[in-house]
Amino acid sequence: MSEHNFNAEYDVIVAGFGGAGATAARFASDAGAKVLLVDSAPSGHEGGNTRYAGQIVGAADDYSKMKEYIENLAEPFEPDEELVNAYARGLTEMPEYFKKYLDVEPFSVKKDWDNSKINLSEMLPEYPEYSGGDTYDVLLVHDGVFDAALWKILRKKVLERKDQIDVWYEAPIVHLITEHNAVIGAEIKRHGQSVRIKATRGVILTTGGFENNVQMKRDYLGYSNLAPIGSLYNKGIGIKLGTEAKARLWNMTNFESLGLQHGLEPVPEVSAQARLILSWPKLSNGSIFTVADDGTRYFNETEDNRHGHIYDHGMWRVPTNNVSPYVIFDEKQLVKIKADPIPWDKFEEQLIEAQSIDELNAKLGLQSGVLQNTVDQFNLEQETENSFDKFGRSTGTMNHFDDGKVYAFQMVQTMLNTQGGPKRNAQAEVVDFDNNPIDGLYSAGELGALHVNQYQGGMNIAECLIFGKIAGENAARHERKSLVTSDGFKTSDVDLKSDVQDREDTDLGENEYLGVSHQGMGDELRVKVHYENEKILNVEVLSQSETDGLGNKAFDKLTSDAVVKNTYNIDAVSGATVTSNAFRDAVKNALDKAKQTSNN
């Protein structure tokens, strides 16, 4: 029996308020635990990668086939059998999970999705050549994708349990507190100060991967320039915490991409997410190709990627990362690109123009003559009678480069998520190097995910739901091998109350009306509308939780348009459709109240 100076005590601490963390906290609470849920993101920006994902959740109708498919995806590696068994069982039970725990009727993409909206058919399964894949389906909570709908349900389940779950934002765990190889609490940064919180039953790590940690990307992947398209708060703290507890790490070299070509997107602003653009046909078809850092082509630009994996000698692999890949094209291709709506608002600003191939070669800093050789080889292959070039690209998608102006447009390889981290077992317990459970430490989600080698879309979020539930319930019921005591609690001037409180009433003046929407990426959006004599005089965004960058910037245009056009029914801002829909819904809500008041 030992004594420690703690500032507060909970049964269970959950690190990370994303899909896995929300699930773990909810089920730990339902099992009777008092829970502290902490996240490094500020309020309204929690959600991890679940918030930004397509909201698709893996499911299956045959347990044996699902096991076989998972094992085939992992080959030539052999995944943990008991872990695969638990996961496959969870996938087959997923439709019932939706009904029982999410309170929604599952929407089957295989049966009911309209592929004319976004073609998801190639995901079912993503690897049709592997046996067992025909059992796979993905589920939605409604008929929509990339709208944070699932995330908002998971978040709501936590907030409904605010009497049992305290939430701290901008409060990262910095260290685990251990004793005799058991995890007994955590040191947490709260309002700039460190507080020590006791966990009488356990700590659950759901902090996601290391997509935003440059050093870890270099150390574990050997890559330096991968742009995240998910949360900006996944910085690999779970790796550090796991090693503190002497956990075994696994699957550290595995990560997924998404986007154009093999998972490329236009270069984002500094410290910003890459914009996820799923379709831009003119960037792959015509007198156009993509080059690596040395100015040569390295893949089939028209091949559909499988979460960033492309075919490579019998296997699907994420290509070697290039620091500065460029799309190269001629004048006639630029005309074709501009003939269609361009999904990137900085295209003209980032376009590099040259009067000749040699001039462009120099502007890109390439070895003399390299780009000319690449263009010559491209033209030669396009002119042959062969149906495909050496990379497998159909020569029917290739047009001869003309003399004259040529252009380059820089791209960056994206990173959807990493899979590596502390290994867990089928009970969601984190294990040590000998595969023995570490007392009091659990995990769920993308941190230490079971996916190795090739990845099937929808499986990571399914893993959040399946192992989040297992981790929450098992941590809440965990009986310590030895009693952890404290000599009272050390007083602290840091506010330790939950950040989830009842919202205060909004002050409204004459002819001002409050509008609320729950359609935003971060759920609630609140506006104050000044409406008088059937005119919108002003719209003020009171609170919002939209994505940093484009989502936030969209409000300037949206508020202006609503006033100028005197309607909520304004055009969406390109690239911020979900945010625009939420804004319109909130303004409409306020106007409905105004009109109801005038009718009374």
Side-chain angles (χ1 to χ4, degrees):
M1 184 172 69
S2 300
E3 294 182 352
H4 295 269
N5 290 320
F6 290 107
N7 300 106
E9 173 183 304
Y10 289 83
D11 296 319
V12 174
I13 300 172
V14 180
F17 191 1
T23 303
R26 174 256 181 99
F27 282 102
S29 169
D30 289 352
K34 179 64 176 176
V35 180
L36 175 62
L37 174 58
V38 300
D39 198 88
S40 59
S43 175
H45 295 273
E46 71 277 16
N49 282 343
T50 301
R51 168 179 173 149
Y52 299 100
Q55 310 301 293
I56 60 175
V57 182
D61 54 25
D62 187 288
Y63 169 75
S64 296
K65 284 187 174 182
M66 193 65 240
K67 271 191 62 179
E68 182 181 16
Y69 185 49
I70 295 169
E71 290 165 353
N72 284 333
L73 289 170
E75 284 188 355
F77 305 103
E78 295 182 4
D80 184 291
E81 184 175 2
E82 290 186 3
L83 194 62
V84 170
N85 291 346
Y87 183 52
R89 188 177 305 110
L91 289 168
T92 58
E93 295 170 354
M94 193 57 69
E96 187 60 29
Y97 189 114
F98 268 49
K99 298 174 188 177
K100 187 174 182 179
Y101 301 121
L102 304 182
D103 302 318
V104 297
E105 190 68 28
F107 182 96
S108 166
V109 169
K110 181 184 285 187
K111 298 175 183 176
D112 302 319
W113 179 255
D114 178 4
N115 284 300
S116 67
K117 294 189 292 187
I118 296 178
N119 187 6
L120 300 178
S121 63
E122 293 180 352
M123 289 183 58
L124 298 173
E126 205 158 345
Y127 291 84
E129 61 274 22
Y130 291 163
S131 58
D134 59 335
T135 190
Y136 191 72
D137 192 6
V138 290
L139 306 180
L140 299 166
V141 297
H142 73 151
D143 186 8
V145 293
F146 290 105
D147 57 3
L150 170 65
W151 159 242
K152 286 183 279 191
I153 291 175
L154 299 177
R155 180 177 179 272
K156 181 181 178 183
K157 296 298 181 185
V158 169
L159 301 185
E160 288 174 346
R161 293 161 171 79
K162 63 182 180 181
D163 291 340
Q164 281 293 108
I165 303 174
D166 286 349
V167 179
W168 290 357
Y169 298 110
E170 297 182 90
I173 289 185
V174 293
H175 294 291
L176 293 176
I177 300 172
T178 61
E179 181 184 80
H180 304 308
N181 297 322
V183 175
I184 61 173
E187 180 183 338
I188 302 170
K189 190 71 73 174
R190 173 74 166 163
H191 300 315
Q193 298 185 42
S194 292
V195 293
R196 293 165 62 86
I197 307 299
K198 176 181 174 182
T200 62
R201 297 188 178 275
V203 175
I204 306 174
L205 301 180
T206 64
T207 53
F210 52 90
E211 299 90 75
N212 298 280
N213 188 313
V214 173
Q215 190 60 52
M216 284 189 179
K217 286 189 283 189
R218 291 173 180 171
D219 291 345
Y220 294 119
L221 306 177
Y223 293 162
S224 62
N225 194 30
L226 294 164
I229 53 177
S231 172
L232 294 177
Y233 297 95
N234 286 1
K235 298 182 179 180
I237 185 61
I239 312 294
K240 175 179 177 290
L241 298 175
T243 56
E244 283 184 350
K246 300 180 181 179
R248 173 186 172 184
L249 302 182
W250 75 335
N251 299 341
M252 295 303 295
T253 61
N254 280 78
F255 75 96
E256 320 308 333
S257 297
L258 202 62
L260 303 169
Q261 298 184 359
H262 68 72
L264 301 177
E265 294 291 3
V267 177
E269 297 177 14
V270 176
S271 299
Q273 295 156 310
R275 171 92 66 81
L276 180 58
I277 302 171
L278 294 174
S279 179
W280 197 349
K282 298 294 174 60
L283 224 60
S284 298
N285 194 317
S287 48
I288 188 167
F289 55 75
T290 301
V291 297
D293 292 334
D294 65 352
T296 65
R297 292 176 63 211
Y298 62 105
F299 71 105
N300 171 7
E301 296 89 349
T302 64
E303 178 183 352
D304 291 331
N305 74 76
R306 299 178 176 185
H307 277 83
H309 298 238
I310 58 176
Y311 187 76
D312 180 18
H313 300 283
M315 190 71 66
W316 280 261
R317 297 183 175 90
V318 176
T320 299
N321 177 237
N322 285 280
V323 176
S324 300
Y326 285 93
V327 178
I328 308 295
F329 48 95
D330 65 5
E331 182 78 25
K332 68 175 180 294
Q333 187 69 23
L334 178 62
V335 172
K336 292 179 181 178
I337 291 172
K338 289 185 174 182
D340 295 332
I342 295 177
W344 180 243
D345 56 354
K346 297 185 182 299
F347 177 74
E348 294 279 2
E349 177 184 330
Q350 295 178 343
L351 190 64
I352 300 172
E353 177 183 322
Q355 299 300 314
S356 67
I357 293 172
D358 285 344
E359 181 183 334
L360 186 60
N361 192 103
K363 284 188 173 184
L364 300 185
L366 300 174
Q367 186 176 348
S368 178
V370 168
L371 195 56
Q372 184 65 63
N373 289 338
T374 303
V375 170
D376 290 345
Q377 183 64 36
F378 181 89
N379 286 341
L380 181 64
E381 298 216 45
Q382 186 269 331
E383 293 166 356
T384 66
E385 296 180 357
N386 296 329
S387 299
F388 300 94
D389 73 357
K390 64 180 180 180
F391 297 104
R393 177 172 168 178
S394 168
T395 52
T397 69
M398 302 164 65
N399 290 336
H400 192 280
F401 265 68
D402 290 341
D403 295 333
K405 288 184 178 180
V406 284
Y407 301 86
F409 183 65
Q410 188 174 358
M411 306 289 278
V412 64
Q413 190 169 349
T414 68
M415 171 175 264
L416 180 61
N417 64 283
T418 58
Q419 304 284 10
K423 182 183 178 182
R424 58 175 166 265
N425 62 21
Q427 289 73 46
E429 299 168 304
V430 174
V431 300
D432 63 17
F433 284 93
D434 296 317
N435 287 323
N436 296 315
I438 297 172
D439 186 23
L441 189 60
Y442 301 82
S443 77
E446 292 171 355
L447 177 68
L450 61 83
H451 307 291
V452 60
N453 205 16
Q454 294 161 135
Y455 172 74
Q456 164 68 56
M459 283 191 166
N460 273 133
I461 293 189
E463 195 170 13
C464 290
L465 301 184
I466 294 167
F467 288 100
K469 179 176 184 293
I470 294 172
E473 292 177 339
N474 286 346
R477 296 165 182 160
H478 177 56
E479 296 293 339
R480 289 286 185 185
K481 296 178 181 178
S482 61
L483 182 64
V484 179
T485 65
S486 57
D487 185 16
F489 291 106
K490 185 178 180 181
T491 59
S492 171
D493 57 1
V494 179
D495 181 7
L496 301 181
K497 296 193 300 292
S498 177
D499 290 337
V500 176
Q501 305 290 337
D502 293 330
R503 185 181 293 278
E504 297 179 0
D505 292 336
T506 301
D507 291 330
L508 296 173
E510 186 177 1
N511 297 316
E512 290 182 339
Y513 303 89
L514 177 67
V516 180
S517 173
H518 291 277
Q519 294 185 16
M521 286 292 291
D523 199 355
E524 187 176 270
L525 188 153
R526 294 160 63 90
V527 300
K528 181 165 65 176
V529 177
H530 186 180
Y531 184 75
E532 190 173 352
N533 297 325
E534 299 185 351
K535 290 282 292 182
I536 298 175
L537 301 180
N538 187 54
V539 179
E540 178 185 354
V541 177
L542 298 175
S543 63
Q544 53 87 13
S545 304
E546 299 308 284
T547 304
D548 289 334
L550 186 61
N552 291 336
K553 293 176 182 177
F555 288 119
D556 290 339
K557 178 169 175 53
L558 292 169
T559 53
S560 174
D561 285 356
V563 173
V564 171
K565 298 180 181 179
N566 195 37
T567 179
Y568 72 89
N569 192 21
I570 54 179
D571 292 337
V573 174
S574 176
T577 302
V578 174
T579 296
S580 300
N581 289 340
F583 177 85
R584 290 184 294 209
D585 185 55
V587 174
K588 181 179 183 299
N589 179 248
L591 294 178
D592 288 345
K593 293 175 182 177
K595 292 171 184 177
Q596 184 178 10
T597 300
S598 64
N599 291 334
N600 290 338

